[in-house]
Amino acid sequence: GENVEQHPSTLSVQEGDSAVIKCTYSDSASNYFPWYKQELGKRPQLIIDIRSNVGEKKDQRIAVTLNKTAKHFSLHITETQPEDSAVYFCAASRRGGSQGNLIFGKGTKLSVKP
Amino acid sequence: GAGVSQSPSNKVTEKGKDVELRCDPISGHTALYWYRQSLGQGLEFLIYFQGNSAPDKSGLPSDRFSAERTGGSVSTLTIQRTQQEDSAVYLCASSLGPTNTEAFFGQGTRLTVV
């Protein structure tokens, strides 16, 4: 069935370095790709999303790139700060389906060391 | 406006008791999801509603789990004869519909079975 693979499961970087999290998806009809950040003890919240009509989107220190041919998309965080430490989830849309229209990856725990 | 609201925020129950968790989605959101998140783990999909209908209940962990949604709005997740392995945070999310839009999460219900 359709699924979203997310790597790595854990990532540790030094403050100021960049962090990259990658996801691949299987449904070629997917056209919406959101990223969620979940801080410890809090709910997941959308930080950035991209639709299939663009290849890249930026918002300050975060950016997402999409390669539809290869069916993968990535989250890039530059100049990481300790407050970026959290679990990040990618997701991909699909057309309806019995499990809804968003499929989530398993998450990446990012630790930014001061 | 109000976001997704879940109640209770915390629930401690004795093994063998039944519990009911409630989710109030954002008004007008037709899609509603339930997820389970164990400590430090990813989002385990439980069930999805489009309107009042849940096409696929196979994500529910056992027949002790059931969910319903009435009036296309409030949803309840019921766990009968709770077990210690049911201890987790139960997250609800809603989105506008079957098209590609952001899912908004509630703050979750932390369930502890003692």
Side-chain angles (χ1 to χ4, degrees):
Chain A
E2 300 133 338
N3 70 319
V4 173
E5 300 279 342
Q6 183 171 347
H7 299 281
S9 56
T10 61
L11 179 59
S12 180
V13 300
Q14 286 296 130
E15 182 177 0
D17 287 351
S18 295
V20 181
I21 302 169
K22 299 182 180 181
C23 289
T24 59
Y25 60 98
S26 59
D27 185 357
S28 57
S30 295
N31 58 9
Y32 173 62
F33 307 92
W35 285 88
Y36 287 80
K37 176 183 181 183
Q38 186 179 28
E39 297 178 358
L40 190 63
K42 298 192 176 179
R43 73 187 78 187
Q45 292 195 295
L46 183 77
I47 54 169
I48 194 168
D49 56 14
I50 191 168
R51 296 180 190 276
S52 59
N53 56 344
V54 297
E56 184 176 7
K57 184 176 178 180
K58 285 184 180 179
D59 183 1
Q60 298 182 346
R61 295 185 299 106
I62 60 173
V64 57
T65 58
L66 171 66
N67 183 328
K68 285 208 72 181
T69 303
K71 290 193 279 190
H72 66 70
F73 56 112
S74 301
L75 178 72
H76 304 252
I77 307 173
T78 58
E79 300 171 28
T80 52
Q81 301 168 4
E83 52 264 38
D84 295 330
S85 296
V87 177
Y88 292 81
F89 294 97
C90 64
S93 69
R94 65 176 164 190
R95 210 175 300 153
S98 62
Q99 296 193 352
N101 66 324
L102 275 182
I103 312 169
F104 283 88
K106 293 196 179 301
T108 296
K109 183 176 181 180
L110 174 64
S111 300
V112 180
K113 299 187 184 308
Chain B
V4 178
S5 178
Q6 291 186 245
S7 61
S9 54
N10 279 284
K11 176 72 177 179
V12 180
T13 190
E14 291 182 351
K15 178 181 171 181
K17 301 279 191 185
D18 298 352
V19 295
E20 191 173 276
L21 312 181
R22 176 186 170 108
C23 174
D24 278 278
I26 293 173
S27 178
H29 280 195
T30 62
L32 186 147
Y33 300 79
W34 282 99
Y35 296 92
R36 181 168 71 175
Q37 190 172 39
S38 300
L39 189 63
Q41 301 300 307
L43 301 169
E44 178 188 2
F45 171 82
L46 297 180
I47 194 166
Y48 157 72
F49 287 91
Q50 181 55 41
N52 292 334
S53 175
D56 183 351
K57 294 179 168 59
S58 64
L60 296 174
S62 76
D63 59 8
R64 297 185 294 105
F65 287 71
S66 62
E68 65 174 16
R69 188 179 186 194
T70 55
S73 181
V74 171
S75 176
T76 54
L77 177 69
T78 302
I79 309 173
Q80 295 179 307
R81 305 182 301 282
T82 51
Q83 303 295 313
Q84 287 186 330
E85 61 263 28
D86 299 334
S87 297
V89 175
Y90 289 82
L91 287 164
C92 173
S94 72
S95 64
L96 264 177
T99 54
N100 305 319
T101 58
E102 177 182 357
F104 293 82
F105 283 83
Q107 82 281 13
T109 293
R110 181 176 297 278
L111 175 66
T112 305
V113 182
V114 297

